[in-house]
Short mmCIF file of all heavy atoms in Angstrom, two decimals:
data_model
loop_
_atom_site.label_atom_id
_atom_site.label_comp_id
_atom_site.label_asym_id
_atom_site.label_seq_id
_atom_site.Cartn_x
_atom_site.Cartn_y
_atom_site.Cartn_z
N GLY A 1 -3.83 -8.43 -18.90
CA GLY A 1 -3.18 -8.50 -17.70
C GLY A 1 -3.93 -7.86 -16.57
O GLY A 1 -4.15 -8.47 -15.44
N PHE A 2 -4.59 -6.64 -16.83
CA PHE A 2 -5.40 -6.12 -15.82
C PHE A 2 -6.69 -6.81 -15.60
O PHE A 2 -7.20 -6.88 -14.43
CB PHE A 2 -5.76 -4.59 -16.07
CG PHE A 2 -4.67 -3.73 -15.55
CD1 PHE A 2 -3.41 -3.50 -16.23
CD2 PHE A 2 -4.85 -3.05 -14.38
CE1 PHE A 2 -2.34 -2.73 -15.80
CE2 PHE A 2 -3.89 -2.14 -13.86
CZ PHE A 2 -2.70 -1.96 -14.52
N GLN A 3 -7.29 -7.39 -16.65
CA GLN A 3 -8.46 -8.16 -16.43
C GLN A 3 -8.29 -9.41 -15.71
O GLN A 3 -9.14 -9.97 -15.05
CB GLN A 3 -8.97 -8.53 -17.89
CG GLN A 3 -10.50 -8.67 -18.01
CD GLN A 3 -11.29 -7.43 -17.80
OE1 GLN A 3 -11.10 -6.72 -16.84
NE2 GLN A 3 -12.22 -7.15 -18.71
N ALA A 4 -7.05 -9.92 -15.63
CA ALA A 4 -6.71 -11.11 -14.80
C ALA A 4 -6.37 -10.62 -13.35
O ALA A 4 -6.69 -11.33 -12.37
CB ALA A 4 -5.51 -11.90 -15.39
N LEU A 5 -5.66 -9.48 -13.21
CA LEU A 5 -5.25 -8.95 -11.94
C LEU A 5 -6.41 -8.54 -11.17
O LEU A 5 -6.48 -8.90 -9.85
CB LEU A 5 -4.26 -7.84 -12.13
CG LEU A 5 -3.78 -7.07 -10.91
CD1 LEU A 5 -2.97 -7.98 -10.02
CD2 LEU A 5 -3.02 -5.75 -11.26
N MET A 6 -7.32 -7.95 -11.63
CA MET A 6 -8.43 -7.24 -10.85
C MET A 6 -9.29 -8.24 -10.17
O MET A 6 -9.65 -8.13 -9.01
CB MET A 6 -9.26 -6.27 -11.69
CG MET A 6 -8.46 -5.10 -12.10
SD MET A 6 -7.90 -4.17 -10.65
CE MET A 6 -8.82 -2.63 -10.93
N PRO A 7 -9.76 -9.42 -10.82
CA PRO A 7 -10.51 -10.36 -10.06
C PRO A 7 -9.76 -11.10 -9.08
O PRO A 7 -10.24 -11.57 -7.96
CB PRO A 7 -11.02 -11.33 -11.21
CG PRO A 7 -10.34 -11.00 -12.32
CD PRO A 7 -9.68 -9.71 -12.29
N ALA A 8 -8.36 -11.19 -9.25
CA ALA A 8 -7.54 -11.84 -8.11
C ALA A 8 -7.50 -10.85 -6.89
O ALA A 8 -7.70 -11.39 -5.87
CB ALA A 8 -6.15 -12.01 -8.75
N VAL A 9 -7.43 -9.58 -7.11
CA VAL A 9 -7.44 -8.60 -5.99
C VAL A 9 -8.91 -8.65 -5.41
O VAL A 9 -8.96 -8.74 -4.15
CB VAL A 9 -7.10 -7.21 -6.56
CG1 VAL A 9 -7.42 -6.14 -5.48
CG2 VAL A 9 -5.67 -7.09 -6.98
N GLY A 10 -9.93 -8.73 -6.26
CA GLY A 10 -11.33 -8.82 -5.71
C GLY A 10 -11.51 -9.98 -4.86
O GLY A 10 -12.13 -9.91 -3.81
N TYR A 11 -10.97 -11.10 -5.30
CA TYR A 11 -11.04 -12.37 -4.61
C TYR A 11 -10.43 -12.29 -3.20
O TYR A 11 -10.99 -12.81 -2.30
CB TYR A 11 -10.43 -13.53 -5.44
CG TYR A 11 -10.51 -14.84 -4.79
CD1 TYR A 11 -11.65 -15.64 -4.94
CD2 TYR A 11 -9.43 -15.33 -4.09
CE1 TYR A 11 -11.70 -16.91 -4.35
CE2 TYR A 11 -9.48 -16.58 -3.55
CZ TYR A 11 -10.58 -17.28 -3.66
OH TYR A 11 -10.58 -18.57 -3.09
N LEU A 12 -9.19 -11.75 -3.23
CA LEU A 12 -8.48 -11.63 -1.92
C LEU A 12 -9.21 -10.78 -1.00
O LEU A 12 -9.29 -11.01 0.25
CB LEU A 12 -7.04 -11.06 -2.15
CG LEU A 12 -6.11 -12.01 -3.00
CD1 LEU A 12 -4.80 -11.35 -3.27
CD2 LEU A 12 -5.94 -13.31 -2.13
N LEU A 13 -9.94 -9.68 -1.51
CA LEU A 13 -10.65 -8.89 -0.59
C LEU A 13 -11.92 -9.67 -0.20
O LEU A 13 -12.33 -9.53 1.02
CB LEU A 13 -11.12 -7.57 -1.35
CG LEU A 13 -9.94 -6.55 -1.69
CD1 LEU A 13 -10.52 -5.41 -2.53
CD2 LEU A 13 -9.35 -6.04 -0.42
N GLY A 14 -12.56 -10.32 -1.02
CA GLY A 14 -13.83 -10.94 -0.80
C GLY A 14 -13.73 -12.15 0.18
O GLY A 14 -14.56 -12.37 0.91
N VAL A 15 -12.58 -12.88 0.11
CA VAL A 15 -12.42 -13.98 1.08
C VAL A 15 -12.41 -13.50 2.45
O VAL A 15 -12.75 -14.26 3.52
CB VAL A 15 -11.22 -14.93 0.79
CG1 VAL A 15 -11.37 -15.51 -0.48
CG2 VAL A 15 -9.91 -14.12 0.88
N GLN A 16 -12.10 -12.22 2.78
CA GLN A 16 -12.14 -11.68 4.08
C GLN A 16 -13.48 -11.64 4.67
O GLN A 16 -13.69 -11.65 5.84
CB GLN A 16 -11.48 -10.28 4.10
CG GLN A 16 -10.08 -10.25 3.50
CD GLN A 16 -9.02 -11.06 4.10
OE1 GLN A 16 -8.99 -11.10 5.36
NE2 GLN A 16 -8.25 -11.73 3.32
N PHE A 17 -14.45 -11.56 3.69
CA PHE A 17 -15.85 -11.32 4.15
C PHE A 17 -16.81 -12.48 3.89
O PHE A 17 -17.90 -12.52 4.27
CB PHE A 17 -16.46 -10.05 3.52
CG PHE A 17 -15.60 -8.92 3.76
CD1 PHE A 17 -14.82 -8.42 2.69
CD2 PHE A 17 -15.59 -8.18 4.92
CE1 PHE A 17 -14.02 -7.20 2.96
CE2 PHE A 17 -14.86 -7.07 5.11
CZ PHE A 17 -14.00 -6.56 4.15
N ALA A 18 -16.37 -13.49 3.04
CA ALA A 18 -17.20 -14.49 2.53
C ALA A 18 -17.89 -15.28 3.66
O ALA A 18 -19.05 -15.56 3.56
CB ALA A 18 -16.39 -15.42 1.68
N GLU A 19 -17.25 -15.67 4.79
CA GLU A 19 -17.90 -16.41 5.79
C GLU A 19 -19.00 -15.54 6.53
O GLU A 19 -20.00 -16.25 6.83
CB GLU A 19 -16.79 -16.87 6.83
CG GLU A 19 -15.98 -17.97 6.40
CD GLU A 19 -15.05 -18.52 7.49
OE1 GLU A 19 -15.29 -18.28 8.65
OE2 GLU A 19 -14.03 -19.05 7.12
N ARG A 20 -18.73 -14.32 6.69
CA ARG A 20 -19.78 -13.45 7.38
C ARG A 20 -21.05 -13.24 6.60
O ARG A 20 -22.04 -13.02 7.19
CB ARG A 20 -19.05 -12.15 7.63
CG ARG A 20 -17.99 -12.24 8.59
CD ARG A 20 -17.38 -10.78 8.92
NE ARG A 20 -16.08 -10.98 9.64
CZ ARG A 20 -14.90 -10.59 9.19
NH1 ARG A 20 -14.87 -9.96 8.05
NH2 ARG A 20 -13.86 -10.79 9.97
N ILE A 21 -21.04 -13.42 5.24
CA ILE A 21 -22.19 -13.03 4.48
C ILE A 21 -22.59 -14.22 3.57
O ILE A 21 -23.30 -14.06 2.55
CB ILE A 21 -22.08 -11.75 3.66
CG1 ILE A 21 -20.87 -11.80 2.77
CG2 ILE A 21 -21.98 -10.57 4.56
CD1 ILE A 21 -20.63 -10.61 1.89
N SER A 22 -22.23 -15.42 3.89
CA SER A 22 -22.45 -16.54 3.00
C SER A 22 -23.94 -16.80 2.83
O SER A 22 -24.41 -17.34 1.79
CB SER A 22 -21.84 -17.86 3.62
OG SER A 22 -22.41 -18.17 4.77
N ALA A 23 -24.78 -16.37 3.78
CA ALA A 23 -26.25 -16.61 3.60
C ALA A 23 -26.96 -15.74 2.56
O ALA A 23 -27.96 -16.08 1.92
CB ALA A 23 -26.96 -16.30 4.86
N ILE A 24 -26.19 -14.68 2.19
CA ILE A 24 -26.78 -13.75 1.12
C ILE A 24 -25.80 -13.67 -0.10
O ILE A 24 -26.06 -12.75 -0.94
CB ILE A 24 -27.12 -12.37 1.72
CG1 ILE A 24 -25.94 -11.71 2.21
CG2 ILE A 24 -28.30 -12.47 2.63
CD1 ILE A 24 -26.05 -10.25 2.60
N ASP A 25 -24.77 -14.53 -0.15
CA ASP A 25 -23.82 -14.29 -1.17
C ASP A 25 -24.32 -14.40 -2.59
O ASP A 25 -23.86 -13.67 -3.51
CB ASP A 25 -22.59 -15.26 -0.96
CG ASP A 25 -23.01 -16.75 -1.09
OD1 ASP A 25 -24.27 -17.01 -1.19
OD2 ASP A 25 -22.17 -17.64 -0.91
N HIS A 26 -25.31 -15.26 -2.76
CA HIS A 26 -25.90 -15.38 -4.14
C HIS A 26 -26.55 -14.09 -4.59
O HIS A 26 -26.63 -13.79 -5.64
CB HIS A 26 -26.88 -16.59 -4.11
CG HIS A 26 -27.88 -16.52 -3.10
ND1 HIS A 26 -27.57 -16.85 -1.78
CD2 HIS A 26 -29.20 -16.24 -3.04
CE1 HIS A 26 -28.68 -16.68 -1.02
NE2 HIS A 26 -29.71 -16.42 -1.80
N TRP A 27 -27.26 -13.36 -3.59
CA TRP A 27 -27.86 -12.14 -3.88
C TRP A 27 -26.80 -11.07 -4.21
O TRP A 27 -27.14 -10.30 -5.08
CB TRP A 27 -28.72 -11.70 -2.68
CG TRP A 27 -29.98 -12.48 -2.63
CD1 TRP A 27 -30.26 -13.44 -1.76
CD2 TRP A 27 -31.17 -12.31 -3.45
NE1 TRP A 27 -31.53 -14.00 -1.94
CE2 TRP A 27 -32.10 -13.27 -3.01
CE3 TRP A 27 -31.49 -11.46 -4.52
CZ2 TRP A 27 -33.29 -13.36 -3.54
CZ3 TRP A 27 -32.78 -11.62 -5.15
CH2 TRP A 27 -33.70 -12.54 -4.63
N ILE A 28 -25.67 -11.08 -3.51
CA ILE A 28 -24.65 -10.13 -3.81
C ILE A 28 -24.03 -10.39 -5.19
O ILE A 28 -23.91 -9.42 -5.97
CB ILE A 28 -23.54 -10.17 -2.71
CG1 ILE A 28 -24.08 -9.78 -1.37
CG2 ILE A 28 -22.35 -9.46 -3.13
CD1 ILE A 28 -23.21 -9.98 -0.20
N ALA A 29 -23.86 -11.63 -5.49
CA ALA A 29 -23.31 -11.95 -6.86
C ALA A 29 -24.35 -11.54 -7.93
O ALA A 29 -23.95 -10.93 -8.93
CB ALA A 29 -23.09 -13.47 -6.98
N PHE A 30 -25.51 -11.74 -7.70
CA PHE A 30 -26.60 -11.35 -8.67
C PHE A 30 -26.66 -9.91 -8.77
O PHE A 30 -26.58 -9.33 -9.98
CB PHE A 30 -27.93 -11.90 -8.23
CG PHE A 30 -29.15 -11.25 -8.98
CD1 PHE A 30 -29.37 -11.50 -10.33
CD2 PHE A 30 -29.94 -10.41 -8.22
CE1 PHE A 30 -30.36 -10.94 -10.95
CE2 PHE A 30 -31.04 -9.79 -8.97
CZ PHE A 30 -31.31 -10.08 -10.31
N ILE A 31 -26.61 -9.13 -7.73
CA ILE A 31 -26.69 -7.64 -7.80
C ILE A 31 -25.47 -7.07 -8.47
O ILE A 31 -25.61 -6.17 -9.26
CB ILE A 31 -26.98 -7.17 -6.33
CG1 ILE A 31 -28.35 -7.43 -5.95
CG2 ILE A 31 -26.81 -5.53 -6.33
CD1 ILE A 31 -28.65 -7.24 -4.35
N LEU A 32 -24.31 -7.47 -8.02
CA LEU A 32 -23.08 -7.03 -8.66
C LEU A 32 -23.05 -7.26 -10.14
O LEU A 32 -22.75 -6.35 -10.93
CB LEU A 32 -21.88 -7.59 -8.11
CG LEU A 32 -21.50 -7.10 -6.70
CD1 LEU A 32 -20.27 -7.90 -6.03
CD2 LEU A 32 -21.15 -5.67 -6.67
N LEU A 33 -23.34 -8.51 -10.56
CA LEU A 33 -23.29 -8.79 -12.04
C LEU A 33 -24.33 -8.03 -12.69
O LEU A 33 -24.12 -7.61 -13.88
CB LEU A 33 -23.38 -10.37 -12.26
CG LEU A 33 -22.16 -11.15 -11.80
CD1 LEU A 33 -22.46 -12.61 -11.89
CD2 LEU A 33 -20.94 -10.70 -12.55
N ALA A 34 -25.55 -7.91 -12.16
CA ALA A 34 -26.65 -7.24 -12.85
C ALA A 34 -26.31 -5.74 -12.94
O ALA A 34 -26.48 -5.15 -14.06
CB ALA A 34 -27.94 -7.36 -12.08
N LEU A 35 -25.78 -5.15 -11.94
CA LEU A 35 -25.38 -3.69 -12.06
C LEU A 35 -24.29 -3.46 -13.04
O LEU A 35 -24.32 -2.47 -13.84
CB LEU A 35 -24.88 -3.16 -10.66
CG LEU A 35 -26.02 -3.01 -9.62
CD1 LEU A 35 -25.52 -2.61 -8.28
CD2 LEU A 35 -27.02 -1.96 -10.12
N ILE A 36 -23.32 -4.36 -13.07
CA ILE A 36 -22.11 -4.14 -14.02
C ILE A 36 -22.73 -4.40 -15.44
O ILE A 36 -22.37 -3.57 -16.30
CB ILE A 36 -21.11 -5.26 -13.74
CG1 ILE A 36 -20.27 -4.97 -12.48
CG2 ILE A 36 -20.05 -5.27 -14.89
CD1 ILE A 36 -19.49 -6.13 -11.89
N GLY A 37 -23.54 -5.36 -15.62
CA GLY A 37 -24.01 -5.57 -17.03
C GLY A 37 -24.96 -4.37 -17.47
O GLY A 37 -24.90 -3.97 -18.56
N ALA A 38 -25.80 -3.90 -16.54
CA ALA A 38 -26.73 -2.80 -16.84
C ALA A 38 -25.96 -1.56 -17.17
O ALA A 38 -26.25 -0.82 -18.11
CB ALA A 38 -27.73 -2.61 -15.76
N ASN A 39 -24.86 -1.32 -16.41
CA ASN A 39 -24.02 -0.18 -16.67
C ASN A 39 -23.31 -0.33 -18.15
O ASN A 39 -23.31 0.71 -18.78
CB ASN A 39 -22.95 -0.04 -15.65
CG ASN A 39 -22.19 1.30 -15.74
OD1 ASN A 39 -22.72 2.38 -15.84
ND2 ASN A 39 -20.84 1.20 -15.78
N MET A 40 -22.89 -1.52 -18.50
CA MET A 40 -22.27 -1.75 -19.82
C MET A 40 -23.31 -1.35 -20.90
O MET A 40 -23.00 -0.71 -21.86
CB MET A 40 -21.72 -3.14 -19.95
CG MET A 40 -20.41 -3.38 -19.17
SD MET A 40 -19.92 -5.10 -19.30
CE MET A 40 -19.46 -5.19 -21.08
N ILE A 41 -24.60 -1.87 -20.69
CA ILE A 41 -25.67 -1.68 -21.68
C ILE A 41 -25.87 -0.17 -21.75
O ILE A 41 -25.99 0.48 -22.82
CB ILE A 41 -26.82 -2.49 -21.38
CG1 ILE A 41 -26.58 -3.90 -21.50
CG2 ILE A 41 -28.06 -2.06 -22.22
CD1 ILE A 41 -27.62 -4.83 -21.00
N ARG A 42 -26.04 0.52 -20.58
CA ARG A 42 -26.28 1.94 -20.50
C ARG A 42 -25.23 2.69 -21.29
O ARG A 42 -25.59 3.65 -22.08
CB ARG A 42 -26.37 2.43 -19.06
CG ARG A 42 -26.75 3.88 -18.91
CD ARG A 42 -26.53 4.50 -17.49
NE ARG A 42 -25.16 4.35 -17.07
CZ ARG A 42 -24.15 5.09 -17.44
NH1 ARG A 42 -24.33 6.03 -18.33
NH2 ARG A 42 -22.95 4.84 -16.87
N GLU A 43 -24.02 2.39 -21.01
CA GLU A 43 -22.91 3.22 -21.72
C GLU A 43 -23.03 2.89 -23.29
O GLU A 43 -22.71 3.90 -23.99
CB GLU A 43 -21.59 2.73 -21.25
CG GLU A 43 -21.30 3.15 -19.85
CD GLU A 43 -19.90 2.65 -19.31
OE1 GLU A 43 -19.24 1.81 -19.98
OE2 GLU A 43 -19.57 2.97 -18.13
N ALA A 44 -23.35 1.64 -23.66
CA ALA A 44 -23.49 1.35 -25.06
C ALA A 44 -24.51 2.16 -25.76
O ALA A 44 -24.36 2.60 -26.91
CB ALA A 44 -23.60 -0.12 -25.39
N VAL A 45 -25.68 2.26 -25.10
CA VAL A 45 -26.85 2.92 -25.81
C VAL A 45 -26.87 4.47 -25.47
O VAL A 45 -27.68 5.11 -26.11
CB VAL A 45 -28.10 2.28 -25.34
CG1 VAL A 45 -28.19 0.85 -25.79
CG2 VAL A 45 -28.41 2.41 -23.83
N SER A 46 -25.92 5.01 -24.67
CA SER A 46 -26.04 6.38 -24.29
C SER A 46 -25.60 7.33 -25.43
O SER A 46 -25.92 8.45 -25.44
CB SER A 46 -25.06 6.70 -23.11
OG SER A 46 -23.75 6.56 -23.48
#
């Protein structure tokens, strides 16, 4: 339930800014996913 709710909330927040930063959105997606993934790996090996 929460895993479904949170991206919906993030999406609603993100659409407010999507037009303003569409030129760099791919970099934002890359950085966010890379940071989240790296943090998961860090926690696993800590």
Side-chain angles (χ1 to χ4, degrees):
F2 270 81
Q3 209 66 313
L5 175 67
M6 293 299 245
V9 170
Y11 179 84
L12 292 174
L13 293 172
V15 294
Q16 307 300 317
F17 306 103
E19 283 185 24
R20 294 182 190 118
I21 56 175
S22 63
I24 59 168
D25 60 358
H26 53 285
W27 285 103
I28 293 170
F30 166 70
I31 290 167
L32 285 174
L33 290 172
L35 288 174
I36 294 164
N39 188 53
M40 286 177 71
I41 294 168
R42 183 194 57 77
E43 288 176 358
V45 299
S46 71

